[in-house]
Amino acid sequence: MQVFTTKAAVRDSVRAWRAEGQSVALVPTMGYLHRGHMALVERAKAQADRVVTSIFVNPLQFGPGEDLATYPRDADRDLAMLGEAGVDGVFLPSVEEVYPPGAQTIVETTELAKMLIGKLRPGHFRGVTTVVTKLFNIVQPDVAVFGEKDYQQLCIIRQMVRDLDVPVRIEGVATVREEDGLALSSRNVRLTPEDRAASVILSQSLFAAEEMAKTGITASRLRAWVAANIGANPRADLQSADIRDAETLASISGRLQRPAVILLAVRFGKVLLIDQRVVTP
Ligand code: PAF
C-alpha cells in the first residue's frame, strides 16, 4: 500500500494505474477508522480495480467551538487497518497541502446545505462539498463511496455531482451498527459510559418508528413520537428530529406515501450523534 502526502504523488500513481486501463475508487474519510469505514472500503474494492482512501480531518467543515481539536486521530492504526484491507493507496495530506494560503473558492449547495444539520452547524456542508470537490479533482476517481449514516451529506454530494457534471459515480453504503443498534461513528469513543448506554435511544426510536410508519401514521405524528421518545431520556439533548422525503429531503405532511427518511441529531454531553433510517409506508 502506498501512502501519499502530496497531491502530485497521488495523481502520479492514479495516472499510472489509468495508463494500464485500471479503474479507481475513492473512499474519503476523516480517519479514526471503524467497521463502518471498512464497509465503504469493501464496496470500493468491489467497484474498481484500485482503491484510494483519503484521511483528512477537514478544518473547513468544523465551526468555531466545534470539536476539530479533539476529533479522534490515530493515523498508524488507520494505516494498519487499510493495509490489512488491501487498499492500494492512502492520501494523508497536511492542511497546507489541501488548503495552500490564499485559497478563495468554495463549493456550496445553496438549499440543501442550509437545512437540518446545516442549521445546527452553519457552514459545515460548505466545508464538506469544498473538500470533496478537491478530493475528486485530485484523485479523479471513477466511483466514490460514502456512508448512508451521514444521509444529508450523501444527498448533498449527489446533488453537487449532478449540478457540476462531476464525472464520478456516487455509491452509498448502509449504516453499520454496534450489536445494541448504535450507529458506528468515530465520535462514539468520546461518549462517557453513561452516555454510551443511553445513546441506544436513537436506534431504538428509529427502529420503532420504522414499524409505526407501516401503520398509515402521519409524518407529523411520527415525528412527534420520535421527539418525545428521545426527549424522555434525561441524558439525550435532542437537537433535531425530522422526517423528509428520502430522495429530495423535501418536507412532507400528511400520511406517508413514499419512502421517507427520519433524521436525528442528539447531543450527549459534548458529543453530537446523528442517525437516520429510511422508512417505507
Ligand atoms: O464523512 C466524512 O468523514 C467527511 O465529511 C468527508 C466526506 C470525508 C469530508 O471531509
Side-chain angles (χ1 to χ4, degrees):
M1 181 178 77
Q2 292 171 269
V3 179
F4 313 108
T5 53
T6 64
K7 299 180 237 192
V10 71
R11 277 197 179 122
D12 281 352
S13 280
V14 170
R15 201 176 295 123
W17 293 333
R18 289 211 174 285
E20 292 168 7
Q22 295 178 340
S23 57
V24 179
L26 171 67
V27 182
T29 81
M30 297 208 300
Y32 211 73
L33 304 179
H34 49 65
R35 282 185 292 120
H37 295 109
M38 301 328 279
L40 306 184
V41 167
E42 282 314 307
R43 175 70 66 87
K45 282 171 65 181
Q47 299 286 321
D49 302 312
R50 298 286 187 168
V51 175
V52 175
T53 300
S54 59
I55 299 177
F56 181 62
V57 182
N58 173 32
L60 212 61
Q61 68 189 74
F62 290 80
E66 288 189 350
D67 58 349
L68 174 61
T70 55
Y71 195 85
R73 295 160 212 241
D74 190 341
D76 290 342
R77 197 187 61 127
D78 290 346
L79 291 175
M81 286 170 77
L82 294 171
E84 182 89 356
V87 161
D88 299 280
V90 180
F91 182 43
L92 187 64
S94 64
V95 172
E96 296 70 33
E97 179 69 10
V98 176
Y99 298 115
Q104 312 191 6
T105 307
I106 51 134
V107 178
E108 185 166 28
T109 52
T110 48
E111 304 290 320
L112 284 178
K114 291 199 187 106
M115 57 175 72
L116 303 165
I117 297 285
K119 269 195 189 144
L120 295 175
R121 304 185 64 189
H124 167 68
F125 288 118
R126 182 195 311 149
V128 171
T129 41
T130 301
V131 81
V132 169
T133 301
K134 287 172 72 77
L135 292 169
F136 286 172
N137 286 333
I138 294 164
V139 179
Q140 302 194 348
D142 300 279
V143 55
V145 187
F146 296 86
E148 283 176 1
K149 183 177 96 55
D150 297 303
Y151 197 89
Q152 187 178 0
Q153 168 173 284
L154 181 58
C155 293
I156 285 175
I157 289 167
R158 288 190 199 282
Q159 177 81 42
M160 174 191 87
V161 161
R162 261 197 316 274
D163 290 350
L164 299 182
D165 301 308
V166 184
V168 62
R169 198 173 78 250
I170 303 299
E171 280 276 313
V173 174
T175 304
V176 180
R177 297 179 181 278
E178 299 284 6
E179 224 160 83
D180 65 3
L182 177 67
L184 295 192
S185 162
S186 304
R187 288 189 168 96
N188 291 353
V189 298
R190 294 180 42 229
L191 292 167
T192 64
E194 296 76 17
D195 288 338
R196 169 66 188 83
S199 64
V200 293
I201 190 69
L202 275 83
S203 56
Q204 280 171 357
S205 304
L206 289 172
F207 295 148
E210 187 177 16
E211 293 310 309
M212 292 165 80
K214 294 174 188 156
T215 64
I217 193 170
T218 62
S220 59
R221 281 192 53 209
L222 190 56
R223 192 213 152 272
W225 181 84
V226 170
N229 198 49
I230 294 175
N233 186 309
R235 304 196 78 88
D237 178 7
L238 181 67
Q239 303 287 303
S240 69
D242 285 277
I243 302 188
R244 297 290 177 107
D245 182 274
E247 208 183 308
T248 63
L249 295 187
S251 300
I252 42 181
S253 55
R255 285 171 192 270
L256 301 181
Q257 311 277 2
R258 291 167 31 83
V261 59
I262 306 178
L263 298 151
L264 299 178
V266 182
R267 212 173 271 290
F268 290 87
K270 288 191 172 140
V271 184
L272 180 68
L273 296 185
I274 62 171
D275 202 353
Q276 56 74 33
R277 191 87 178 159
V278 173
V279 299
T280 311

